[in-house]
Amino acid sequence: MSPKPMVRPGGRSARVQESVHAAVRELQAELGREALTVPLVAARAGVTPSTVYRRWGDLQELLSDVAVEHLRPEAPPVDLGSLRADLEAWAEQFLDEMASPPGRAYIRDALLGDPDGSNAGQCSAYAAEQIDVVVARAAERGESAPDVERVIDRVVAPMMYRILFRPGELDAAYARALVEHALSLSKP
Amino acid sequence: MSPKPMVRPGGRSARVQESVHAAVRELQAELGREALTVPLVAARAGVTPSTVYRRWGDLQELLSDVAVEHLRPEAPPVDLGSLRADLEAWAEQFLDEMASPPGRAYIRDALLGDPDGSNAGQCSAYAAEQIDVVVARAAERGESAPDVERVIDRVVAPMMYRILFRPGELDAAYARALVEHALSLSKP
């Protein structure tokens, strides 16, 4: 996990962040989410509780930061040779990850401890960056491609809305239908 | 405010719910959201704190229930004589309410204290019911109308996704463009 952009890599602040995030991940795995407290996390990370409170405010804000790190994409989208194939593969994988029980828990955590909306904005920026890679590749191939914001409205938003608000079957066919729809509109 | 469906209207349970919800609304207005505690709410409502804990679990779940009541539509969508006009008016009003600071706070509260997703599902059901009225009216007029789930994917989801995840300008023109897009697809 790399530190957040505003933290200088390798600095003390980055080391504190990394050890506190690691402590949260370990304790979540060992004890479960409900058992976490700031003093427990601080003890495991080898820092004082006041260091955690000073930097994160409370447990919910810390969990939100850790969740955003989990939601950071690990690699650029695969290149399958066409816009449609790349976007379908990306959307299917995104839906698969976000609709899974851990994905849902991270989205929830990211939103909850995020009073100013910056972590939610970061989650959305991750998706936009991935789509931007797919769209730029399509343009290089000479394919006509939709605008990134349109893909967000027509592919990302329906999946995330249904994950949060409208429980029900969300499968790869649903992701592909959204892509089909987004692409049909980019044609002249 | 009418009680939730599972509560018998006029019964003791409904009276407790109404007085606790009213106490939350009053104290939120008087002291602000951050100052609320279960003992304060219970005292104002004339019940014991344990009544509140037994019924709602914790403050966050209570705030989620109150938020869902705030998000309940107060009237059916206006009838302006055509599907497009009705859907535009509904979408503009929905965006206006949900993107306002109180709207955002209610959406957030509704999601936060909602471990099983039932309150989020209720918010989405409210929107679906309103769209259903608009679509049924259009069918009576002999207009061709899109499926309710499609309107949710193409109009409701982008608005809610951007409210939660992608801060920026959200205006009536954006709502109308989403409706235009949803309707262009329902034509043969």
Side-chain angles (χ1 to χ4, degrees):
Chain A
M1 291 288 154
S2 30
K4 293 179 93 180
M6 75 272 195
V7 171
R8 187 163 52 82
R12 186 181 124 69
S13 174
R15 287 196 307 273
V16 167
Q17 174 173 301
E18 180 44 36
S19 63
V20 170
H21 279 206
V24 169
R25 291 193 299 268
E26 288 168 23
L27 290 166
Q28 269 182 325
E30 290 166 25
L31 308 173
R33 159 71 201 284
E34 294 307 310
L36 293 193
T37 63
V38 167
L40 259 180
V41 169
R44 175 67 63 99
V47 301
T48 62
S50 65
T51 298
V52 174
Y53 289 119
R54 202 161 43 236
R55 175 133 174 193
W56 281 278
D58 62 19
L59 182 66
Q60 221 165 43
E61 293 191 36
L62 171 57
L63 290 176
S64 177
D65 282 4
V66 173
V68 171
E69 284 300 310
H70 274 285
L71 295 170
R72 178 197 292 266
E74 286 170 7
V78 286
D79 185 346
L80 297 167
S82 80
L83 171 62
R84 174 173 307 262
D86 287 3
L87 211 48
E88 278 182 359
W90 180 81
E92 285 182 34
Q93 190 190 340
F94 182 84
L95 182 60
D96 201 45
E97 287 174 8
M98 297 295 163
S100 69
R104 286 173 192 263
Y106 293 136
I107 295 168
R108 217 181 132 69
D109 276 342
L111 284 174
L112 302 207
D114 185 35
D116 65 356
S118 60
N119 279 349
Q122 185 60 61
C123 294
S124 184
Y126 288 149
E129 285 162 19
Q130 299 283 91
I131 293 164
D132 201 43
V133 170
V134 167
V135 165
R137 242 185 232 151
E140 276 172 34
R141 288 188 204 105
E143 294 181 275
S144 88
D147 179 68
V148 171
E149 295 298 321
R150 288 297 153 276
V151 177
I152 289 180
D153 278 346
R154 289 166 195 176
V155 179
V156 177
M159 295 194 291
M160 290 293 274
Y161 178 79
R162 287 181 183 274
I163 286 170
L164 283 168
F165 289 98
R166 208 154 174 81
E169 280 298 309
L170 291 173
D171 55 16
Y174 176 68
R176 284 196 302 272
L178 293 174
V179 169
E180 168 68 33
H181 162 64
L183 294 187
S184 68
L185 294 162
S186 71
K187 287 178 190 157
Chain B
M1 291 288 154
S2 29
K4 292 180 90 176
M6 74 274 194
V7 172
R8 188 163 54 82
R12 185 180 125 69
S13 176
R15 287 196 307 274
V16 167
Q17 174 172 300
E18 180 43 36
S19 62
V20 170
H21 279 208
V24 169
R25 290 193 299 269
E26 289 167 23
L27 291 167
Q28 268 181 326
E30 291 167 24
L31 307 175
R33 161 68 201 285
E34 295 305 311
L36 293 192
T37 64
V38 168
L40 259 180
V41 169
R44 174 68 62 99
V47 303
T48 62
S50 64
T51 298
V52 175
Y53 288 120
R54 201 161 46 235
R55 176 134 172 193
W56 281 279
D58 61 21
L59 182 66
Q60 217 164 47
E61 293 191 36
L62 170 57
L63 290 177
S64 177
D65 281 7
V66 172
V68 171
E69 285 300 310
H70 274 285
L71 295 170
R72 179 198 292 266
E74 287 171 5
V78 287
D79 186 346
L80 297 168
S82 79
L83 170 62
R84 174 175 305 262
D86 287 5
L87 211 48
E88 278 182 359
W90 180 81
E92 285 182 34
Q93 190 190 340
F94 182 84
L95 181 60
D96 201 45
E97 288 174 6
M98 298 295 162
S100 69
R104 287 171 192 262
Y106 294 137
I107 294 167
R108 215 181 133 71
D109 276 343
L111 284 173
L112 303 207
D114 185 35
D116 66 354
S118 60
N119 279 350
Q122 185 60 61
C123 293
S124 183
Y126 288 150
E129 284 162 19
Q130 299 283 91
I131 294 163
D132 201 44
V133 170
V134 167
V135 165
R137 246 185 229 150
E140 276 172 33
R141 291 188 201 107
E143 294 180 275
S144 90
D147 180 68
V148 171
E149 295 297 323
R150 286 297 155 277
V151 178
I152 288 180
D153 279 345
R154 288 167 197 176
V155 179
V156 177
M159 295 193 291
M160 291 293 274
Y161 177 78
R162 288 181 182 274
I163 287 170
L164 283 168
F165 289 99
R166 209 154 174 82
E169 281 298 307
L170 291 173
D171 56 16
Y174 176 69
R176 283 197 302 272
L178 294 173
V179 169
E180 167 69 33
H181 162 65
L183 294 186
S184 69
L185 294 162
S186 71
K187 288 177 189 157

